[in-house]
Amino acid sequence: AQSVTQLDSQVPVFEEAPVELRCNYSSSVSVYLFWYVQYPNQGLQLLLKYLSGSTLVESINGFEAEFNKSQTSFHLRKPSVHISDTAEYFCAVSLNTGGFKTIFGAGTRLFVKA
Amino acid sequence: ETGVTQTPRHLVMGMTNKKSLKCEQHLGHNAMYWYKQSAKKPLELMFVYSLEERVENNSVPSRFSPECPNSSHLFLHLHTLQPEDSALYLCASGDGTVGNTIYFGEGSWLTVV
């Protein structure tokens, strides 16, 4: 069975500071990895995903995540956050052999302070 | 028009009531999902339908009954719920391919009193 652990439930940070949201996963087979973001009063939306190729993937709004197979991690980083980045971030995995299960972590609430 | 639409956005129901949550997707996807979101817990996958056939049922109590009449619509029928069932219920859709992105609705906030 697969599982996803997000090590921090809340991360407060000042505007323009760097941030890292941590994600570790457990799986006996290869997986695809995702980060989703949920802004207040909205559903989740895809931020970025790793399927294959370069282990470093980027989003259009400056976030990046690196797949580390040996450490089974997929941490999300941004070098300089904005107030508008305040949201809840969810790490997720799905099997690369198919199927319909996408397993999510408990989420990390990023709170950016002025 | 948003890709995945859920109604109602908020629902308060008593433990003896029967109600339904509705979801509609306008993305041409063939897979639809129900997730339960509770505070400080991982999103719980409840049900998955592919081409109107249920393909996942994650040990969800029978007081939750899904229905998928066609590939664009998904319902969650609720009956004799418990207060601990209060949560945000998220509907989502995807194209069912390996590594596919899932598209979520805004959710239905359910409070059981």
Side-chain angles (χ1 to χ4, degrees):
Chain A
Q2 296 74 43
S3 66
V4 178
T5 302
Q6 292 184 244
L7 297 163
D8 306 295
S9 60
Q10 293 189 73
V11 174
V13 63
F14 285 103
E15 193 174 20
E16 298 183 6
V19 70
E20 179 179 78
L21 308 182
R22 295 178 293 170
C23 172
N24 287 89
Y25 69 93
S26 172
S27 177
S28 57
V29 299
S30 295
V31 296
Y32 296 129
L33 296 152
F34 307 78
W35 277 98
Y36 284 80
V37 59
Q38 184 178 33
Y39 297 105
N41 299 314
Q42 295 186 28
L44 282 72
Q45 55 187 281
L46 181 72
L47 186 61
L48 49 77
K49 65 181 178 182
Y50 170 77
L51 301 182
S52 65
S54 172
T55 57
L56 185 66
V57 290
E58 299 177 352
S59 72
I60 58 172
N61 59 351
F63 282 93
E64 64 178 31
E66 185 157 22
F67 168 52
N68 187 320
K69 188 174 182 179
S70 63
Q71 297 187 3
T72 60
S73 68
F74 191 56
H75 301 331
L76 182 69
R77 291 185 280 264
K78 188 170 185 180
S80 175
V81 294
H82 303 290
I83 297 285
S84 59
D85 293 324
T86 294
E88 187 138 21
Y89 293 79
F90 292 88
C91 184
V93 301
S94 69
L95 296 182
N96 72 355
T97 53
F100 295 91
K101 273 191 177 182
T102 298
I103 306 300
F104 288 81
T108 297
R109 179 165 295 278
L110 174 64
F111 179 56
V112 181
K113 301 178 285 187
Chain B
E1 187 176 72
T2 58
V4 181
T5 306
Q6 291 187 241
T7 54
R9 293 294 313 280
H10 299 270
L11 177 63
V12 179
M13 61 184 289
M15 288 189 284
T16 59
N17 291 160
K18 286 185 181 180
K19 297 285 184 184
S20 297
L21 305 181
K22 178 184 175 182
C23 177
E24 184 174 0
Q25 60 100 357
H26 309 278
L27 300 169
H29 291 156
N30 57 24
M32 295 189 77
Y33 307 74
W34 280 116
Y35 281 88
K36 176 183 178 182
Q37 184 178 13
S38 304
K40 301 192 189 310
K41 294 173 66 174
L43 264 69
E44 299 174 46
L45 178 62
M46 301 176 71
F47 302 104
V48 183
Y49 277 81
S50 173
L51 298 171
E52 301 131 52
E53 180 180 338
R54 193 188 309 179
V55 295
E56 291 283 349
N57 179 352
N58 281 357
S59 303
V60 179
S62 59
R63 56 186 184 269
F64 294 92
S65 174
E67 178 189 0
C68 187
N70 55 61
S71 60
S72 299
H73 293 86
L74 185 64
F75 295 89
L76 188 63
H77 303 301
L78 314 169
H79 181 221
T80 60
L81 296 191
Q82 305 298 310
E84 59 266 28
D85 296 323
S86 299
L88 179 65
Y89 288 84
L90 292 166
C91 176
S93 71
D95 63 15
T97 57
V98 174
N100 76 124
T101 298
I102 296 179
Y103 295 83
F104 286 85
E106 294 181 326
S108 294
W109 282 101
L110 173 66
T111 302
V112 182
V113 297

